Amino acid sequence: MLKLILILVIFSFLFTCAPETSVRRGFVAKPCLDCHKDKLDEFQKRYVHSPMSKKDCESCHLRHGKIAVLSLKEREERKLCFLCHAQMSENIEKTTYVHTALKQGKCLPCHNPHASDNEFLQRKIGNEQCFTCHNQALFTRHKQHKPLSDGCHVCHSAHGSQNGDNLIKPETELCQSCHNFGEKRFKDSHKGYPVQNGRCSGCHTPHSSTNEKLLREAVHAPLDLGQCSSCHRPANDPEPLNVIATDGKLCYTCHEKEEKEFKKLHRHRPADEGRCQNCHSPHATDYAKVTLMDKNYLCLNCHKKKEDLLKMSRLHMPIKDRGCTACHDPHASQDRFYLKAPEKQICFTCHGKTEEELKQKYTHMPFAGIDCKNCHDSHGSNNISMLKIPVTDLCYSCHGKEKKEFFKTYIHNPVNNRKCISCHKPHASLYKKLLNNPPDQLCVSCHGDMFLQLEDAVVHKPFKEKSCRTCHSPHASEYPAITIISMPKLCYGCHRDMESGVNSVNNRHLPVEEGKCTTCHSPHGTKIKHLLFNRPKELCLSCHERIVTTTARKGHITMESGDCLSCHLPHFSELNYLQNARDPELCVKCHKGDERLSKIHLRPVIKIKKCLNCHEPHVTEKPGMLRKIKHVPFAKGDCIECHE
């Protein structure tokens, strides 16, 4: 027994050490290119990415995918590339200035991940690659720097550098590789000053310019005239690049007029402290007034709280076109916020038509006080008309009481859609409640079709006068059709005689009993008298269809002509079935002079006590409008059997 156990243990040990069989259960992996045939053309290109050439798609892709990342192993492009390009990853980590695209984690703007006809898998050749992001116009002006024709990479590193602007060398050293700073011509053109101790790009553009000297687009007058000694010590001075005066004192040696103007009540701090170079270059820039940055970015460089301003979907047009200085004086002003005009007038310098609205009869309170900032953001907003918050929320920020009142069962569409300005003007109006149009025309602006359709109709008086608010609330109501009160009270407001009549009797038409006047009558107008929705016969039979459910189509002559009202009252009556007279007086009105009927009835018609005991009032299958079931002697015409 012991031997058997020992054999089993040895066999078990050997089995666990046996190599894995080559046969696997499950699906056999299918090559990616069997499906992605559109990628086969990539192999014909001159340069093929190494994993692609080996058909090793899973170097970058996951076979079964990963949510929202195109089945890539890494969500960020740069991290994915660095899985293989580890050395570049290390270099970039140590690099001070990284190319913007790469800094944002993107490689694909420049490189094709599969294959390319260009070296380094570049999407385009040479400068064309750079111009996909950089504005080509800035590189193709009249005078172009010679290295530009040799390609951007002559001066710039494609991925990053320890030098600003991704330069391959420090700026002065890079310029010196082409320009001999010790050459007489170079010295003479710079008035003998050792400019190599400064920054060449402080005066010159490195790419292209509209002038022959490759100077930047805005040049300080002394530099343009070659009068360097206006600001600097003489060229033969031991420290020639030092200035002859400090800060604003130097600028005011020429700008005397400006110095006086800058002494206003509200002074921009840099100007007040004489720090002109916080905003201006003393030599040259590519921006107007020799400013260090473009119109808005210069201000945002200090005013960090406004950094998101330029991202607004609705930027104030002056800022967009002319920058912050369209409204603000960059140096000093008599008005708060360095405005170029008083705070309550600055908006009207552009919005003259809006100022005219102040003369209108009714003005919105904030507008009357010229408090534009109460509703609008003066710089920009993501809301229409640069409103601080969405338009209806803005209205409700003051009109909170109205907001509660409007929360009812039935709401006017503009109110429900939060569009107050569909009916109201935000600034001023000729009409009360700041309405866009006169009250009798306001509803027409949306419901015009309704009025056109009823031009030749019988029209309800309030509708004809376009006095819609007689019946409807303009905002919201607890009653259908946004009526101001429920029916029939609404109708009784004008039709008081109807109300007293209805309340004086017990027999009322069901729609009247239920207060549903609009079951029969249009509240606006129809082509039929009394504002009826249909001719009386069709209108009555739309509810009383039981009257004509027999096979007989011939009926009472007045009913056939559609004159139900010859026998019935439409609203109320003291008699059953809303009859307008009792039986037999109701019948006798028409039949009293018929001699034929007197013979048939063996007496004058006026002496018959009850007509409806024998006759149907509407339709029947029997001649003479007789009821279906008859007394046997009567059916035989033997009246004498019962009557004398």
Side-chain angles (χ1 to χ4, degrees), residues 406-412 473 475-483:
F406 298 166
F407 191 72
K408 293 180 179 177
T409 308
Y410 301 94
I411 306 173
H412 194 193
S473 167
H475 298 115
S477 169
E478 294 295 353
Y479 311 107
I482 328 177
T483 53

Side-chain angles (χ1 to χ4, degrees), residues 266-293:
H266 300 277
R267 296 184 287 275
H268 195 196
R269 182 176 291 178
D272 191 37
E273 296 175 356
R275 292 184 283 110
C276 305
Q277 291 187 51
N278 277 28
C279 300
H280 299 278
S281 167
H283 297 119
T285 72
D286 287 327
Y287 310 109
K289 308 293 183 182
V290 205
T291 54
L292 296 174
M293 296 182 191

Side-chain angles (χ1 to χ4, degrees), residues 403-527:
K403 183 179 181 180
K404 292 179 181 178
E405 288 179 359
F406 298 166
F407 191 72
K408 293 180 179 177
T409 308
Y410 301 94
I411 306 173
H412 194 193
N413 268 346
V415 178
N416 196 37
N417 294 334
R418 304 172 68 80
K419 292 182 179 178
C420 305
I421 56 176
S422 293
C423 300
H424 301 279
K425 286 193 173 183
H427 297 129
S429 174
L430 297 171
Y431 315 109
K432 200 173 180 180
K433 305 290 185 184
L434 298 175
L435 295 178
N436 288 334
N437 293 305
D440 63 344
Q441 290 299 318
L442 184 64
C443 301
V444 178
S445 61
C446 287
H447 303 283
D449 288 349
M450 185 183 294
F451 290 90
L452 288 173
Q453 290 166 6
L454 296 174
E455 272 186 342
D456 302 323
V458 179
V459 182
H460 194 194
K461 185 181 178 183
F463 186 81
K464 185 176 183 178
E465 295 172 351
K466 297 184 177 66
S467 180
C468 303
R469 292 191 64 176
T470 301
C471 301
H472 300 281
S473 167
H475 298 115
S477 169
E478 294 295 353
Y479 311 107
I482 328 177
T483 53
I484 54 176
I485 53 175
S486 63
M487 288 188 191
K489 290 181 181 178
L490 179 64
C491 300
Y492 291 160
C494 294
H495 302 281
R496 298 190 183 280
D497 55 335
M498 178 70 67
E499 181 181 20
S500 59
V502 167
N503 293 332
S504 66
V505 298
N506 293 322
N507 297 305
R508 306 180 187 96
H509 195 190
L510 185 60
V512 175
E513 181 74 29
E514 294 177 346
K516 296 178 179 178
C517 305
T518 55
T519 300
C520 301
H521 300 281
S522 167
H524 300 124
T526 69
K527 302 287 184 180

Side-chain angles (χ1 to χ4, degrees), residues 524-542:
H524 300 124
T526 69
K527 302 287 184 180
I528 301 171
K529 193 177 179 182
H530 303 304
L531 300 174
L532 294 175
F533 280 118
N534 207 338
R535 292 181 300 174
K537 179 181 178 181
E538 283 77 5
L539 185 63
C540 296
L541 294 181
S542 65

